Amino acid sequence: MRRTVPGRSWALGISVALAAAAIGAGPLPGPLGKKNTAEKAAPKAEESVGDLADVFQNGETVVEGVGLVSNLNGTGGDAPDSWYRKQLLDEMSKAGVEQPARYLENKSFAMVIVKMRIPTGATPRDRFDVDLELPPASAVKSLAGGFLMPTRLRTVMVAGGGPKTGSDMGIAGGPIMIGDAKDPTNGKVGRVLGGGRPRKEQPYQLLLKGDRRFIRNAGMIEKVVNARFNKSVHGQKKGAATAKTDAYLELRVPEVYHQNQERYFRVVQLLPMVDTPELREARVAATARELLDPKTSGVAALKLEALGASTADHLAAGLKSEDADVRFFAAEALAYLNEPAGVEVLGETAIKQPKYRAYALAALAAMEDFSARARLRRLMDEPDIEVRYGAFNALRTLDPTDAMLGQVRILDDPAGDEEDDAPDGMAIALASRPRARVADPFSLYIVETEGPAVVHVSRSRRSEIVVFGRGQYLEPPLVLGQGDILLNAADKDDSVDISKIVPSEFGERDVKLRSSLELGDVIRSVARLGATYPDIVAIIEAADRQKNLPGPLFVDSVPQANMQYLNKAILGSDDPPKRDDEVKTASGSFLRRIFTRGRSEPAPRPVAEEVRGDTPADDEPESPEAADDEPKGADEPTAAEPAAKKDDAIRKTSGDAPVAGEARRRPRLLDAFRRAE
């Protein structure tokens, strides 16, 4: 017999009704509700990564330090007591330098504030210009001829009423080029070209959109991105994306896209979230038709590139189009798939379409196929300096050891035993003995080309002189000078007399030598007398003004990044650019290694890390890549030689230079000081 509990049927009916109402109104609370919401937020067959997440890419970190400049010709001086001065003295004391204030009081040295911007996505292989300024009320008259000794760069924030430094973020050092954009002759500010590098990689972030923030979606995005972009590390596949939380993933840029990172971000966003053989076949067929339409060809090429090498034949069909833009977009996508079919189209685009020139060269630099290298070599014969120098930069990015670059040694190889490890800090280099250089103070290239004679110098990112055309001779008569270097040649002379004026206070004599008028010989001879890169650039500029060069002189003639490319190729829009400055210098994340940073800088992003007042450990491990590619003057003996020369001058004037006599924290440091005794 069935028993009935009074009131229970009524209660059960109410519960069912409430549950039905809740289901109709929205997800249930608790685990069941979360599951239903996650299922609704799951990727659909027609969705791509960009429908679920965006790439955060506009940030940068401003780092700074307090550095010591050496090699000044009596124009240095001390600064009043301040937080900056205390930081520098503490750094020198920790390195084992006794009485460090004596260096600051000497007019051969100067204290400077060193600043560098590290954009998101930077790696230890990237190089950035470093800005220098004097602290308030400094007695320094000019930084001309100075050398910034290795300087640690950290984040600095105001906390607890005063500045606090964070962990090491970068290192900087090298010869100083005075001036800024407003006044190139201002000796109280300066830059070290390409003298700074980050300590660690700064990965981008892939941020999930608010209603798609579920760990399952983050995991799916990681799987999709890594299936397309991965590399072998110690025998294991390592992907470009790493899911950190349900809200974001870390995203690293593959080497092939390092010159055009905006393109990589767009390719990632176009990766389909759901992919089956049937869906892929339909996508390829539809996108191949879009590629041949000039209105949709830019994004269509990116979609085919996202699907991988299997789409190469469909992209090759775009090379036959009568529309130049369609041909370029197809060739560019093929280049990033390392397919050589579009190499000639990219070369033609670099010559005839300035709006795409920078990107065509970047695509050629991304290829491993030999045909790209051969095409870049031919482009260096073009009369347009942007094409010539752009191709030179692209070829150097592709293969820095390519013989066609024409790199020549500036300083003679040292004789004798192998040198010890280079000092790894600014204060260590102060007391290190003079040592043979293991690297040239700047780069000199003499390129054998069939084009007109041209000289190109860099005033940003690199200390570099490129002479296009062998056998360029200075045309006398000439009288040139910079600092203590003087060049003199009479009319019809076939050689030039080069003198270095040495003060006679210490009994030293002037140095004189004779060189041929061949420009490369003159540059090397002047450098061997101790002239810095800024000195030599000033001499070449003076020779150009006096009509002593056989051809024109160009400075920073880099191809331009065009907003039309960003609109049409990246965003798929034919609308005109919103900014007035439609053409801007190639900058930011794209074309980072090949061309210079832009003139307009974005606002720095906040640093999301704990700010500490303590000094980070000096034995912090660095990446092998950083060790293989140090900036000149940062961790190399180039800092030790000029420092030691000035140290000798101090000994002659004061009788006893400050040296370390007791053990400090670092064994290697003590060894360096003992060598100085």
Side-chain angles (χ1 to χ4, degrees):
M1 181 175 176
R2 194 175 189 181
R3 297 180 60 188
T4 302
V5 179
R8 183 170 180 177
S9 299
W10 174 85
L12 181 61
I14 293 295
S15 299
V16 171
L18 289 174
I23 293 173
L28 289 173
L32 182 59
K34 290 183 178 180
K35 181 178 179 181
N36 290 337
T37 304
E39 288 178 353
K40 289 183 178 180
K44 310 298 188 296
E46 67 277 7
E47 287 186 318
S48 64
V49 170
D51 293 314
L52 278 72
D54 296 311
V55 179
F56 176 77
Q57 54 176 296
N58 294 324
E60 65 177 17
T61 302
V62 178
V63 294
E64 64 180 77
V66 187
L68 187 66
V69 173
S70 64
N71 284 26
L72 298 177
N73 188 19
T75 59
D78 206 348
D81 288 337
S82 64
W83 180 84
Y84 296 107
R85 193 174 190 273
K86 182 179 182 299
Q87 287 290 113
L88 181 57
L89 293 176
D90 287 348
E91 180 79 9
M92 296 171 70
S93 296
K94 290 175 182 177
V97 179
E98 291 185 352
Q99 302 179 28
R102 297 184 61 183
Y103 285 100
L104 303 186
E105 295 167 359
N106 190 286
K107 293 187 180 299
S108 296
F109 296 88
M111 181 181 73
V112 293
I113 301 171
V114 185
K115 295 183 180 181
M116 180 176 73
R117 296 176 181 270
I118 305 177
T120 304
T123 73
R125 288 169 292 175
D126 289 313
R127 296 292 177 267
F128 302 101
D129 288 350
V130 177
D131 295 319
L132 309 180
E133 60 185 57
L134 297 175
S138 172
V140 175
K141 296 179 181 179
S142 176
L143 297 173
F147 191 99
L148 176 66
M149 309 195 75
T151 304
R152 298 168 186 248
L153 303 178
R154 305 177 174 100
T155 54
V156 178
M157 299 181 68
V158 177
K164 300 293 182 181
T165 59
S167 58
D168 278 16
M169 297 286 288
I171 189 166
I176 297 170
M177 179 169 283
I178 64 169
D180 53 20
K182 295 181 180 178
D183 182 6
T185 63
N186 184 0
K188 295 190 175 183
V189 296
R191 287 176 298 157
V192 180
L193 306 185
R197 67 166 175 84
R199 285 281 193 184
K200 300 177 181 179
E201 184 177 1
Q202 308 288 321
Y204 290 97
Q205 290 183 350
L206 198 56
L207 306 179
L208 274 74
K209 298 179 180 179
D211 58 344
R212 314 304 288 268
R213 291 184 177 178
F214 294 94
I215 194 65
R216 177 183 175 186
N217 286 349
M220 289 185 67
I221 293 175
E222 176 185 305
K223 183 177 179 180
V224 167
V225 173
N226 292 346
R228 175 64 177 86
F229 298 108
N230 56 74
K231 64 178 180 179
S232 180
V233 179
H234 303 302
Q236 296 183 346
K237 291 288 186 180
K238 183 178 181 180
T242 303
K244 291 296 186 178
T245 68
D246 61 349
Y248 81 98
L249 300 86
E250 282 190 351
L251 183 66
R252 289 174 169 79
V253 180
E255 184 67 22
V256 68
Y257 286 97
H258 200 76
Q259 292 81 33
N260 192 345
Q261 298 184 9
E262 302 288 345
R263 183 178 190 86
Y264 170 66
F265 301 145
R266 188 61 174 142
V267 169
V268 166
Q269 290 180 310
L270 291 173
L271 291 171
M273 289 298 301
V274 181
D275 194 19
T276 65
E278 294 78 13
L279 287 173
R280 176 174 286 254
E281 183 179 357
R283 288 186 183 115
V284 170
T287 309
R289 291 191 294 270
E290 295 173 358
L291 176 67
L292 302 179
D293 184 349
K295 294 182 179 180
T296 57
S297 58
V299 174
L302 289 169
K303 289 180 180 178
L304 292 173
E305 182 181 330
L307 295 175
S310 62
T311 64
D313 290 341
H314 300 277
L315 286 166
L319 301 176
K320 302 175 183 178
S321 173
E322 295 181 356
D323 187 272
D325 285 6
V326 173
R327 293 196 303 271
F328 165 64
F329 293 139
E332 186 182 28
L334 285 167
Y336 286 101
L337 296 175
N338 199 37
E339 294 289 341
V343 164
E344 289 303 320
V345 172
L346 291 174
E348 178 185 1
T349 302
I351 297 171
K352 298 181 179 179
Q353 295 201 70
K355 63 181 180 180
Y356 297 145
R357 178 174 293 155
Y359 305 97
L361 294 171
L364 288 169
M367 296 183 64
E368 297 178 358
D369 193 87
F370 181 79
S371 60
R373 185 177 311 187
R375 191 68 183 96
L376 288 171
R377 290 173 177 173
R378 298 202 307 273
L379 286 174
M380 290 195 297
D381 294 333
E382 291 295 321
D384 190 321
I385 185 58
E386 275 196 8
V387 177
R388 296 181 84 179
Y389 185 64
F392 171 87
N393 267 329
L395 181 58
R396 179 182 48 200
T397 300
L398 182 59
D399 182 7
T401 65
D402 193 295
M404 291 300 295
L405 294 173
Q407 185 169 15
V408 297
R409 289 281 301 183
I410 297 172
L411 304 179
D412 295 329
D413 291 328
D417 298 334
E418 294 184 0
E419 296 294 323
D420 298 328
D421 291 338
D424 60 357
M426 175 273 302
I428 303 176
L430 272 173
S432 296
R433 61 178 173 84
R435 307 166 70 185
R437 292 177 184 258
V438 295
D440 289 331
F442 58 91
S443 298
L444 173 62
Y445 299 87
I446 301 178
V447 185
E448 187 170 357
T449 67
E450 297 179 1
V454 167
V455 178
H456 185 279
V457 298
S458 297
R459 281 190 168 272
S460 61
R461 292 296 299 276
R462 294 183 177 93
S463 298
E464 168 194 271
I465 301 171
V466 183
V467 180
F468 288 99
R470 289 187 179 275
Q472 292 197 40
Y473 291 83
L474 293 176
E475 299 178 356
L478 61 86
V479 177
L480 302 169
Q482 178 66 23
D484 53 6
I485 303 294
L486 178 65
L487 292 79
N488 196 331
D491 192 18
K492 298 183 180 180
D493 279 356
D494 58 1
S495 61
V496 57
D497 292 323
I498 305 175
S499 304
K500 180 177 182 180
I501 310 302
V502 179
S504 59
E505 180 182 352
F506 305 133
E508 301 180 37
R509 298 181 179 179
D510 294 351
V511 179
K512 296 182 179 181
L513 56 85
R514 178 165 294 183
S515 167
S516 73
L517 290 169
E518 196 271 321
L519 185 56
D521 286 344
V522 173
I523 292 172
R524 289 193 295 270
S525 297
V526 172
R528 288 166 183 164
L529 290 180
T532 64
Y533 176 72
D535 293 335
I536 295 176
V537 169
I539 291 173
I540 293 175
E541 290 177 332
D544 179 59
R545 290 192 297 269
Q546 296 177 188
K547 309 298 182 184
N548 297 129
L549 295 178
L553 171 68
F554 293 94
V555 180
D556 289 338
S557 297
V558 296
Q560 303 293 304
N562 194 290
M563 293 300 294
Q564 288 178 268
Y565 175 89
L566 298 179
N567 277 346
K568 190 168 184 179
I570 302 298
L571 303 177
S573 172
D574 285 326
D575 295 336
K578 295 181 180 180
R579 300 181 182 180
D580 294 334
D581 54 337
E582 178 182 340
V583 178
K584 64 177 182 178
T585 303
S587 63
S589 60
F590 47 71
L591 313 180
R592 178 173 293 143
R593 286 191 186 177
I594 299 183
F595 307 119
T596 62
R597 284 186 58 76
R599 287 180 287 270
S600 58
E601 299 289 349
R605 66 177 174 88
V607 181
E609 65 173 326
E610 181 181 0
V611 179
R612 302 190 304 271
D614 58 324
T615 302
D618 295 308
D619 56 353
E620 176 182 332
E622 296 181 26
S623 70
E625 296 171 342
D628 293 337
D629 192 13
E630 296 289 330
K632 291 182 176 65
D635 283 350
E636 294 186 4
T638 49
E641 183 168 344
K645 291 179 180 178
K646 289 301 177 183
D647 187 49
D648 291 340
I650 295 175
R651 293 183 183 180
K652 293 177 180 178
T653 54
S654 63
D656 55 339
V659 295
E662 297 181 2
R664 299 299 187 201
R665 289 186 175 89
R666 309 173 200 162
R668 282 201 305 164
L669 172 65
L670 182 58
D671 293 339
F673 279 92
R674 282 173 178 166
R675 288 196 296 267
E677 295 179 346

